[in-house]
């Protein structure tokens, strides 16, 4: 099947502050990362609004033949039960109690946006997310937030272009200052959270963490730039919220 972005994740890559997460540099062979960047669909396209997210889901890459074979292969490798089980195994000892173990049955896994939970208890995605340029002023497409409670894990694999000379754009992890009553907000205020660490936006870098009610994260603002920001978001979701 070929490599996955989780193959090189080792216990020494897992960090526990401010919550368990892993950072892997050179997650894929350099030639494969370069091919994904070179053939990336939607480069510098999408919304005319600055710092706006656009998405190409995995099911489209798997079913439409105009995507480069490298993208189709990536989507297929990262949307089955094997990938979710791989993340679970890598985070052994750091997997939250509220998260179930992934099912062993391969038929339990479907594609997010194509299948439903009635036939597939776990829906997977490996979608390309592109953030449009912000040429006039600093911007972030989303501040500190929690992912939806039905998600098992979140993984971001960065596809920064070689000509991108912008500042910022990494992933900042936060901790609560004051835990608000509502957690399902688009972004927490600075009064509620404080920044703990920022993982730089660098090509071939993986950031992955099990979903938890304290896994607060957000996009670091980028300085004014004509370049877009691109990453592949790999995840798996169940029907009901787990927190």
């Amino acid at each position: 099947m070929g490599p996955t972005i989780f193959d090189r994740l080792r216990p020494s890559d897992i960090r526990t502050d401010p919550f368990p997460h892993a950072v892997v540099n050179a997650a894929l062979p350099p030639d494969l990362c370069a091919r994904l960047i070179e053939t990336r669909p939607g480069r510098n396209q999408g919304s005319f609004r600055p710092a706006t997210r656009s998405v190409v889901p995995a099911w489209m890459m798997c079913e439409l033949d105009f995507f480069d074979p490298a993208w189709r292969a990536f989507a297929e490798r990262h949307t089955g039960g094997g990938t979710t089980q791989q993340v679970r195994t890598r985070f052994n000892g750091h997997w939250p109690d509220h998260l179930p173990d992934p099912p062993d049955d391969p038929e339990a896994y479907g594609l997010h946006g194509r299948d439903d939970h009635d036939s597939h208890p776990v829906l997977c995605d490996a979608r390309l997310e592109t953030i449009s340029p912000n040429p006039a002023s600093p911007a972030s497409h989303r501040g500190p937030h929690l992912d939806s409670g039905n998600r098992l894990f979140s993984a971001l694999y960065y596809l920064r272009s070689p000509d991108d000379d912008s500042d910022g754009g990494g992933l900042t992890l936060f901790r609560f200052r004051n835990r608000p009553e509502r957690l399902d907000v688009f972004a927490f205020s600075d009064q509620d959270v404080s920044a703990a660490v920022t993982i730089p936006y660098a090509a071939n870098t993986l950031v992955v963490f099990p979903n938890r009610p304290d896994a607060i994260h957000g996009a670091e603002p980028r300085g004014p730039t004509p370049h877009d920001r691109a990453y592949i978001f790999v995840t798996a979701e169940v029907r009901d919220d787990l927190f």
Side-chain angles (χ1 to χ4, degrees):
M1 287 291 290
T4 79
I5 56 176
F6 308 111
D7 289 345
R8 298 183 180 182
L9 199 165
R10 300 292 181 262
S12 58
D13 297 316
I14 297 177
R15 311 169 185 181
T16 58
D17 184 31
F19 52 82
H21 67 282
V23 178
V24 181
N25 300 311
L28 288 179
D31 58 338
L32 178 52
C33 177
R35 175 68 178 270
L36 291 169
I37 292 173
E38 180 183 355
T39 61
R40 173 167 68 85
R43 182 184 300 274
N44 236 348
Q45 298 175 5
S47 174
F48 289 101
R49 297 172 55 191
T52 300
R53 185 177 68 116
S54 58
V55 174
V56 180
W59 73 262
M60 292 180 63
M61 299 180 205
C62 290
E63 297 188 0
L64 302 179
D65 60 9
F66 56 75
F67 289 102
D68 187 88
W71 280 91
R72 178 176 297 183
F74 186 99
E76 291 174 347
R77 283 198 302 270
H78 289 82
T79 51
T83 299
T84 303
Q85 291 166 349
Q86 190 178 27
V87 174
R88 170 64 181 91
T89 299
R90 294 296 194 271
F91 277 92
N92 190 36
H94 299 281
W95 194 253
D97 291 339
H98 70 273
L99 294 183
D101 286 331
D104 292 328
D105 181 7
E107 298 301 319
Y109 299 86
L111 281 176
H112 191 278
R114 185 194 69 181
D115 303 315
D116 59 51
H117 287 296
D118 291 335
S119 54
H120 302 280
V122 183
L123 298 181
C124 305
D125 207 353
R127 57 183 178 258
L128 170 64
E129 300 197 354
T130 306
I131 312 303
S132 61
N134 49 289
S137 60
S140 166
H141 79 282
R142 192 170 186 186
H145 65 280
L146 291 172
D147 287 340
S148 57
N150 67 329
R151 187 166 290 166
L152 300 182
F153 70 91
S154 296
L156 293 87
Y157 175 66
Y158 286 140
L159 295 174
R160 182 172 186 154
S161 299
D163 59 347
D164 184 350
D165 58 354
S166 63
D167 296 322
L171 186 74
T172 300
L173 310 183
F174 298 81
R175 58 172 60 91
F176 279 121
R177 298 178 191 265
N178 303 293
R179 189 181 180 90
E181 291 186 9
R182 290 198 57 179
L183 300 180
D184 58 338
V185 296
F186 184 76
F188 294 112
S189 72
D190 292 340
Q191 296 178 339
D192 293 329
V193 299
S194 60
V197 64
T198 297
I199 296 95
Y201 174 50
N204 210 5
T205 297
L206 166 69
V207 188
V208 54
F209 51 89
N211 197 20
R212 302 161 48 102
D214 61 350
I216 317 163
H217 57 285
E220 177 190 24
R222 303 178 77 202
T225 177
H227 300 283
D228 59 13
R229 177 176 180 261
Y231 55 91
I232 302 174
F233 184 72
V234 181
T235 191
E237 298 178 353
V238 296
R239 182 194 299 269
D240 298 320
D241 287 346
L242 301 170
F243 66 82

